[in-house]
Amino acid sequence: MKATINSLVLLLLILTAVSCRKDFLDKAPDDDLTIDQVFANRDYASNFLTNVYAQMPQEAIWPDNAQNPYHGAADELKQYYAISFCNSMTSGAWDANSTVINPWARNFGGLRKANIFIENIDKVPLDQLYTQAARNRQKGEAIFLRAFFHFLMVRVYGPIPIADSTLTLDANFKALRRQPLEKCVAYIVSQCDQAAALLPARITEGTEYGRVPRSAALALKARVLLYMASPLFNGNPDYTGVKDNEGNRLFPDYQASRWQAAADAAKSCIDQTEAAGYGLYTAANNDPVRNYQELFYVNNNKEVLFAYNEGNYDGLDVYSEPLSLSGFSLNAPTQDIVDQYEMANGLRPITGYTADHSPIVNPLSGYTETGFTDVAGPNNLYVAGTSNMYVNREPRFYASINYSGAVWKTRTGGLEFWFKGADGKGVAGGGNYSATGYMLKKLSDPNFVWRPVEKTTLRTWIFFRLGEQYLNYAEALNEAQGPVTDVYKYINLIRARAGLPGLPAGLSKEEMRERVHHERQIELAFESQRYFDNHRWKMSETIDNGNIYGMSIFQGQSKTDPAFFKRVPVERRVFQKKHYLWPMLKTETDKNPNLV
């Protein structure tokens, strides 16, 4: 075909409008090149592949309505930024006309580009600089990206059309239908297997970071099979009668074997990646706080299976920075997740709540909410006078949460989130402030400086890491076989890295399930996991429906004023069963009613 690249954008458009982004397709490398001309040149072809990568979601961007509303829509975070789409989600005020964030359009755009590349890459002439091995690797990268874009839609929409090839102008778009969910997942798995066979086991060359290694394909396969085995997708009685316009069922009956398939995939990922040199990250001094904290700002460390290069993007730092450091204070962890962090002895501080949401304290844990410590914390974690609520907590708490009394960067006298404090509502006026009395520390770089002169660092967003695979394996294996030795082994490896004792012996399958859920909530907090975990476990209608809590930010005159340290409702959230999956946009169903 001799049509120009600009024409192909229109011809091959799948159910969506072309992005206004000035990308490689919108402006050809040299005037108006044809597809044949692009794939006759290895450099042009490589640039085309780079543009396929550009369709990946920028999940490090939270408040700016890019592609990640999932933290603010889960019980782990309150995002104090009214226009953020997550706030529409938590209020229940979203439907088929909500177009602020559109995973459908972005991912089908990526699929269109990936398919063009896969269908044409074999045309690139081979030479000494562009070998068959190089071609195979690029093909493997595009095949993985095709699988990834499908997964990103399945996780929010459930059954989707499978886009395994480009479409021509005379294609019947109304013939496109959602495929049964098990077929969608099987396709993603097959693409992961194909990609894994073509990709290098690990990337260690700095100039190559950001490209897809085999570990990414193995990790994606394990995650999608875990989702498929989970209650939302595996025999969900709420979806039994969901069919397309031809009467085909879109959701499957329950199969217990799906848990074993997920366990096998996760174990295969663990074994192959560890053989390639991946492992749990630990800091140079093996300090449990630093082990966990550094994992997210020491780029491309040995635990990272696949990450997206964000360049000098500073949003996660600026939006999580307290007022006294000139931050915007938008990313506020909830009291709900603060309460879940264990004590240093590995016991839960709080076992539940009374009718008025007063905490039921575990007397064996050593936790107390009365009084203030007389001494500073170990390794200068907090100052004397800090509330006992934050004393002797587990290391991941200190690596993840900034609270009143915490030492952070130049704030050696401790952060001050109470009303009259330097980081509190009383000094913010009508501007930004923490809505919960906490700020997010995890994912922030302690070397970042915002003002007076910005000092940025190169940042990445981790899509897959080995620690997640340990937990994926433990969860799936427990569901398939009960709390066997490997379930304990891999959870305890995660806990040991965090300086915590192992789980108690003799847990039942149900007790271990609760432990796995809890471990995922803490270990994977703020990594775009909690929202989807609550959904796939079918727990969101309880967890994400009702009040979230924080400290009493309109109270507090001093560091030791107990008026501030009281749980108060921050927001009442709405979750209905229809919110487990995203609505198909009306603009799409108007064009193709067969999408149901």
Side-chain angles (χ1 to χ4, degrees):
M1 181 182 291
K2 297 301 182 182
T4 64
I5 293 290
N6 288 336
S7 299
L8 279 165
V9 170
L10 299 176
L11 295 175
L12 302 172
L13 187 62
I14 302 176
L15 305 178
T16 182
V18 180
S19 168
C20 63
R21 181 194 294 261
K22 293 295 183 182
D23 58 23
F24 184 73
L25 287 180
D26 295 324
K27 182 165 180 59
D30 184 10
D31 298 319
D32 287 332
L33 298 180
T34 66
I35 279 288
D36 287 340
Q37 288 172 325
V38 169
F39 287 95
N41 181 292
R42 63 172 180 268
D43 292 329
Y44 289 167
S46 295
N47 289 341
F48 196 108
L49 179 59
T50 298
N51 194 249
V52 182
Y53 275 96
Q55 293 295 128
M56 294 175 63
Q58 294 174 279
E59 291 200 358
I61 303 178
W62 297 4
D64 295 323
N65 284 329
Q67 297 99 41
N68 194 346
Y70 306 119
H71 302 90
D75 60 335
E76 61 189 4
L77 194 81
K78 167 60 183 174
Q79 195 174 94
Y80 188 66
Y81 193 49
I83 67 172
S84 287
F85 187 59
C86 62
N87 293 313
S88 296
M89 295 169 70
T90 57
S91 70
W94 63 308
D95 55 27
N97 294 305
S98 301
T99 57
V100 176
I101 295 177
N102 188 355
W104 184 268
R106 184 177 186 88
N107 289 302
F108 265 115
L111 286 169
R112 170 178 53 82
K113 295 177 183 180
N115 282 327
I116 292 174
F117 184 87
I118 293 167
E119 292 166 2
N120 290 278
I121 186 58
D122 288 337
K123 298 176 182 177
V124 179
L126 301 177
D127 55 33
Q128 291 182 339
L129 296 178
Y130 191 74
T131 63
Q132 184 63 49
R135 175 192 283 171
N136 288 343
R137 179 179 176 183
Q138 287 188 331
K139 186 181 295 185
E141 292 173 32
I143 291 171
F144 166 82
L145 291 170
R146 181 162 66 181
F148 192 43
F149 294 139
H150 277 94
F151 167 74
L152 293 174
M153 289 191 292
V154 165
R155 71 177 183 173
V156 293
Y157 296 111
I160 59 168
I162 294 175
D164 57 357
S165 62
T166 55
L167 298 179
T168 59
L169 184 62
D170 58 354
N172 179 10
F173 287 91
K174 289 187 177 181
L176 291 173
R177 287 175 164 79
R178 292 182 185 237
Q179 296 301 305
L181 182 64
E182 61 266 46
K183 186 175 180 179
C184 297
V185 170
Y187 178 74
I188 294 170
V189 168
S190 72
Q191 295 298 284
C192 289
D193 288 340
Q194 289 183 39
L198 298 171
L199 293 168
R202 187 181 179 196
I203 293 173
T204 57
E205 175 60 43
T207 58
E208 298 279 283
Y209 286 138
R211 295 183 66 179
V212 177
R214 183 184 305 155
S215 57
L218 299 172
L220 175 57
K221 177 180 177 178
R223 189 188 291 180
V224 73
L225 286 174
L226 181 71
Y227 280 32
M228 186 64 193
S230 299
L232 181 65
F233 287 156
N234 191 5
N236 185 349
D238 296 327
Y239 295 156
T240 299
V242 177
K243 301 178 181 179
D244 67 12
N245 289 345
E246 295 180 338
N248 300 307
R249 285 184 60 188
L250 296 181
F251 292 88
D253 293 327
Y254 177 77
Q255 289 184 15
S257 61
R258 292 192 177 106
W259 285 114
Q260 188 62 54
D264 292 344
K267 187 61 164 59
S268 178
C269 177
I270 292 168
D271 291 344
Q272 291 188 56
T273 55
E274 289 184 339
Y278 292 95
L280 292 186
Y281 176 82
T282 53
N285 64 354
N286 200 26
D287 173 73
V289 175
R290 294 187 62 180
N291 286 347
Y292 191 69
Q293 185 179 3
E294 290 182 7
L295 166 60
F296 303 101
Y297 70 84
V298 176
N299 292 335
N300 302 303
N301 62 71
K302 69 175 184 176
E303 186 167 340
V304 178
L305 303 182
F306 182 54
Y308 182 84
N309 291 329
E310 288 288 350
N312 289 322
Y313 175 70
D314 62 7
L316 271 177
D317 296 286
V318 173
Y319 296 143
S320 298
E321 202 78 307
L323 292 173
S324 58
L325 294 177
S326 302
F328 290 165
S329 296
L330 300 182
N331 295 328
T334 64
Q335 187 67 44
D336 307 68
I337 192 169
V338 167
D339 286 349
Q340 293 302 311
Y341 286 95
E342 296 176 7
M343 302 299 288
N345 58 16
L347 297 178
R348 307 269 187 93
I350 293 167
T351 59
Y353 302 91
T354 63
D356 65 354
H357 204 73
S358 297
I360 301 172
V361 173
N362 177 5
L364 300 177
S365 69
Y367 176 78
T368 179
E369 298 199 343
T370 61
F372 302 86
T373 180
D374 295 329
V375 297
N379 299 318
N380 203 32
L381 290 173
Y382 50 82
V383 299
T386 296
S387 170
N388 284 325
M389 295 174 68
Y390 313 127
V391 173
N392 293 327
R393 302 298 290 269
E394 66 158 286
R396 289 176 296 188
F397 170 77
Y398 297 114
S400 302
I401 308 295
N402 270 326
Y403 50 92
S404 290
V407 174
W408 178 237
K409 298 184 179 178
T410 59
R411 294 301 311 282
T412 56
L415 297 175
E416 304 176 358
F417 293 111
W418 58 88
F419 184 70
K420 287 294 187 180
D423 306 295
K425 171 69 173 69
V427 301
N432 300 319
Y433 55 88
S434 170
T436 64
Y438 300 100
M439 289 305 304
L440 182 62
K441 182 178 182 180
K442 180 177 174 177
L443 308 176
S444 296
D445 186 342
N447 303 304
F448 172 80
V449 178
W450 172 226
R451 289 174 180 166
V453 179
E454 184 171 13
K455 176 186 175 184
T456 60
T457 56
L458 294 175
R459 304 304 302 276
T460 64
W461 176 262
I462 301 172
F463 282 118
F464 300 101
R465 64 180 176 95
L466 185 59
E468 177 207 343
Q469 296 302 316
Y470 283 11
L471 295 176
N472 290 353
Y473 177 50
E475 177 181 354
L477 188 61
N478 181 63
E479 296 299 334
Q481 300 181 23
V484 295
T485 301
D486 261 10
V487 177
Y488 278 93
K489 173 184 174 180
Y490 285 95
I491 294 179
N492 287 342
L493 285 170
I494 292 289
R495 292 176 64 82
R497 192 257 300 271
L500 291 171
L503 296 180
L507 296 175
S508 68
K509 179 178 181 178
E510 292 72 24
E511 290 169 334
M512 181 60 80
R513 178 185 299 135
E514 194 279 332
R515 293 282 186 154
V516 170
H517 289 187
H518 172 77
E519 204 65 41
R520 290 184 68 94
Q521 181 181 13
I522 299 303
E523 175 68 19
L524 304 178
F526 314 109
E527 298 181 44
S528 300
Q529 298 273 5
R530 178 66 174 171
Y531 174 91
F532 293 104
D533 280 350
N534 285 346
H535 280 56
R536 67 183 179 85
W537 295 328
K538 289 193 68 180
M539 295 170 63
S540 290
E541 56 202 89
T542 300
I543 293 175
D544 297 323
N545 188 35
N547 289 333
I548 60 166
Y549 289 83
M551 291 286 92
S552 184
I553 63 172
F554 290 88
Q555 302 292 325
Q557 303 296 312
S558 68
K559 181 192 304 184
T560 56
D561 186 347
F564 169 75
F565 298 98
K566 295 180 180 178
R567 289 171 180 73
V568 297
V570 171
E571 177 183 70
R572 182 160 187 81
R573 295 186 166 181
V574 175
F575 188 94
Q576 301 172 10
K577 280 192 175 184
K578 65 181 180 180
H579 295 139
Y580 275 115
L581 294 177
W582 282 41
M584 184 71 68
L585 292 180
K586 188 174 184 298
T587 54
E588 300 299 336
T589 54
D590 284 347
K591 288 185 289 186
N592 182 4
N594 290 323
L595 289 176
V596 297

